[in-house]
Amino acid sequence: MSHVGKSVTDATGTLDILSDIDFSLSLKETAAIVGASGSGKSTLLSILAGLDTPSRGTVFLDGQDLFALDEDARAALRAQKVGFVFQSFQLLGNLTALENVMLPLELLGLPHARQKAGEMLERVGLAQRLKHYPKVMSGGEQQRVALARAFVMQPAVLLADEPTGSLDFATGEKVMELMFALNRELGTTLVLVTHDAAIAARCERKLTIEAGRLVNDTGRPVPQA
């Protein structure tokens, strides 16, 4: 990410949401984006994913300039390279746990979707919940389904927005242990937005955003394999 800024203009003038954000992440690295509410963290995450367009600057994903692509090409790259985990889980209520995890594989026409989804749900401890719908699952179970759905694609980057925000402390701890374990096993770069200082401290990098600016970048990048 090079000198990224995001501004919006309305009748009252121009508001700078992000200003001159500049950093890079290494393969397999873990990084936490921290800051007060309204500081621009979620906007930054959306731009990293190519879901929101910066007003200036460039963002590279696996060597590709995201915003040199048209919207369709950007969506295709995102589907192949990026996984998402949200505070609100974002599962499809009319699909079972297995079907939710199969979905990204099927959308890309990848083979053995059912087998791969089942294996990933077993990895996150939900082998007995394959046929269950989200409405009959606990918050922690739903978040584990969301993790399985994200990691089943073996994405280059996993972006997580307050992944434990809807969970109690003990459940959140278990989810984070699982997320970091999968990060290590699959070699995925992990970027998460969090208000939890303990979670941020477990990451190799901590990027602190204040009023849309990167004011502190602590930790060292992990050398690429």
Side-chain angles (χ1 to χ4, degrees):
M1 175 173 283
S2 179
H3 303 293
V4 164
K6 176 71 176 180
S7 303
V8 294
T9 302
D10 59 19
T12 64
T14 299
L15 173 65
D16 291 327
I17 300 172
L18 295 173
S19 300
D20 200 32
I21 304 292
D22 194 295
F23 65 89
S24 62
L25 296 170
S26 300
L27 184 68
K28 304 180 183 181
E29 191 170 7
T30 58
I33 300 173
V34 301
S37 295
S39 60
K41 303 186 303 299
S42 292
T43 299
L44 176 56
L45 203 69
S46 293
I47 289 174
L48 280 171
L51 294 169
D52 197 358
T53 305
S55 303
R56 52 203 167 272
T58 54
V59 179
F60 287 89
L61 174 60
D62 203 23
Q64 175 68 60
D65 184 348
L66 270 182
F67 299 101
L69 303 173
D70 62 27
E71 190 171 339
D72 288 343
R74 195 159 60 243
L77 181 65
R78 185 166 54 244
Q80 295 171 358
K81 299 289 186 180
V82 183
F84 298 93
V85 178
F86 302 95
Q87 178 178 341
S88 56
F89 316 136
Q90 298 290 324
L91 301 178
L92 296 180
N94 63 328
L95 299 182
T96 65
L98 182 64
E99 291 166 342
N100 265 285
V101 179
M102 288 171 60
L103 185 60
L105 296 165
E106 292 181 322
L107 289 174
L108 288 179
L110 298 177
H112 312 301
R114 181 173 295 273
Q115 177 185 340
K116 291 176 181 177
E119 289 171 352
M120 186 56 71
L121 282 165
E122 182 176 0
R123 172 64 186 83
V124 301
L126 294 176
Q128 306 306 313
R129 301 289 252 162
L130 303 187
K131 297 180 180 180
H132 292 193
Y133 291 90
K135 66 182 179 181
V136 299
M137 305 178 80
S138 70
E141 288 172 331
Q142 290 186 62
Q143 193 62 299
R144 282 188 279 159
V145 174
L147 282 178
R149 182 182 59 187
F151 277 108
V152 76
M153 297 294 296
Q154 298 193 13
V157 180
L158 179 72
L159 304 176
D161 194 357
E162 297 287 356
T164 62
S166 297
L167 306 176
D168 63 75
F169 177 78
T171 303
E173 281 287 295
K174 292 177 182 177
V175 166
M176 290 310 304
E177 285 287 349
L178 183 57
M179 182 178 290
F180 282 109
L182 289 169
N183 157 257
R184 291 190 298 270
E185 289 173 20
L186 300 179
T188 296
T189 300
L190 174 62
V191 184
L192 58 91
V193 165
T194 184
H195 283 100
D196 189 322
I199 292 175
R202 296 178 63 176
C203 294
E204 291 147 346
R205 295 271 292 283
K206 184 169 74 172
L207 307 167
T208 304
I209 306 295
E210 288 183 9
R213 292 185 177 276
L214 178 60
V215 297
N216 198 16
D217 179 356
T218 56
R220 292 183 299 170
V222 176
Q224 296 198 16

